[in-house]
Amino acid sequence: MENSFEALIATFIENKVGISEHFLSDTLANNLKLHLLALNTQRLLTAAGIGNLEKLSYDGAIRSDSIYWLDKKHNNSFENEFFAQIEAFILYLNQSCYAGITGYEFHYSLYEKGDFYLKHLDQFKNNPSRKYSMISYLNSDWQESDGGELLIHQLDNNQKISPTQGKTVFFKSDELVHEVLVTQNTRMSITGWLKSD
């Protein structure tokens, strides 16, 4: 587990985007994916908004995915296993990099064919608590023709990242503009933020 933590941190230091190819085990990723699909079958996902509770809006021309917030109150064993891994990573990050992270929030994100999310920053103008963004992908057998890549914009080094199962991406929430390109296949992830309140 520490190897995947170190991979995230080392690649983040190198080019502002941390990537660990196997942050989630195949077993955990598969279980989370099945749970997400079950939630979707039960129609428990909701349209994703833009902004936070103080200034929330919905605009399908900017963002068209659906989400479901993870919560320890659900007492779901797969969500709890994911939370345990995130908490272990936060401890490692705080001890090795003095990051000062005190909390987190995560949601499932489901993109159907044709869905996208235009260029944006993850930190709100009226609330700077989000310090790092983390995205863990749940897509097995992903093909280049499926689209749905994460495109991170940097001055001299735009990165297009395929959403393959087990991969986790990590970057500062207030620095990097990014987008999700149009997907041609169902695309699943857990997206969230490490926070300092």
Side-chain angles (χ1 to χ4, degrees):
M1 190 180 294
E2 283 194 2
N3 287 341
S4 63
F5 295 172
E6 192 55 41
L8 272 185
I9 293 170
T11 50
F12 169 77
I13 291 171
E14 183 178 343
N15 62 17
K16 296 187 176 181
V17 180
I19 298 176
S20 172
E21 295 290 341
H22 304 288
F23 185 85
L24 299 182
S25 69
D26 278 342
T27 299
L28 179 55
N30 280 325
N31 285 332
L32 290 166
K33 174 172 58 182
L34 291 172
H35 182 49
L36 169 54
L37 291 170
L39 292 167
N40 189 47
T41 298
Q42 297 169 53
R43 301 185 183 277
L44 294 175
L45 277 70
T46 57
I50 302 158
N52 58 7
L53 289 176
E54 296 172 28
K55 193 177 180 181
L56 184 63
S57 63
Y58 298 89
D59 188 344
I62 295 174
R63 171 179 199 182
S64 53
D65 59 314
S66 300
I67 66 169
Y68 178 89
W69 289 96
L70 279 67
D71 194 318
K72 286 188 175 179
K73 293 177 184 176
H74 299 155
N75 199 28
N76 177 270
S77 59
F78 309 130
E79 290 183 24
N80 288 342
E81 187 177 348
F82 176 79
F83 285 144
Q85 185 148 340
I86 292 298
E87 288 166 6
F89 175 66
I90 289 172
L91 181 62
Y92 189 88
L93 181 67
N94 283 343
Q95 289 178 342
S96 60
C97 301
Y98 307 102
I101 300 303
T102 56
Y104 56 82
E105 58 184 4
F106 284 89
H107 63 67
Y108 285 116
S109 188
L110 177 68
Y111 289 74
E112 302 285 8
K113 183 176 180 179
D115 285 346
F116 57 90
Y117 191 171
L118 298 184
K119 289 198 285 189
H120 63 282
L121 272 178
D122 279 351
Q123 192 178 82
F124 302 123
K125 291 179 180 178
N126 62 350
N127 184 342
S129 64
R130 290 179 174 178
K131 301 305 180 187
Y132 296 95
S133 302
M134 289 188 75
I135 309 156
S136 295
Y137 295 112
L138 309 175
N139 309 293
S140 55
D141 302 318
W142 193 260
Q143 306 295 318
E144 189 173 350
S145 59
D146 292 332
E149 294 94 342
L150 175 69
L151 180 59
I152 297 181
H153 295 267
Q154 298 195 63
L155 286 177
D156 56 354
N157 184 31
N158 287 354
Q159 289 191 61
K160 189 187 286 187
I161 300 169
S162 59
T164 51
Q165 179 164 293
K167 180 186 294 178
T168 290
V169 182
F170 172 76
F171 54 91
K172 288 194 76 172
S173 300
D174 65 344
E175 277 190 5
L176 297 183
V177 172
H178 55 285
E179 62 183 304
V180 176
L181 302 179
V182 176
T183 184
Q184 302 301 324
N185 205 340
T186 302
R187 177 193 189 275
M188 293 168 281
S189 66
I190 296 179
T191 298
W193 300 275
L194 307 187
K195 303 174 72 175
S196 180
D197 296 317

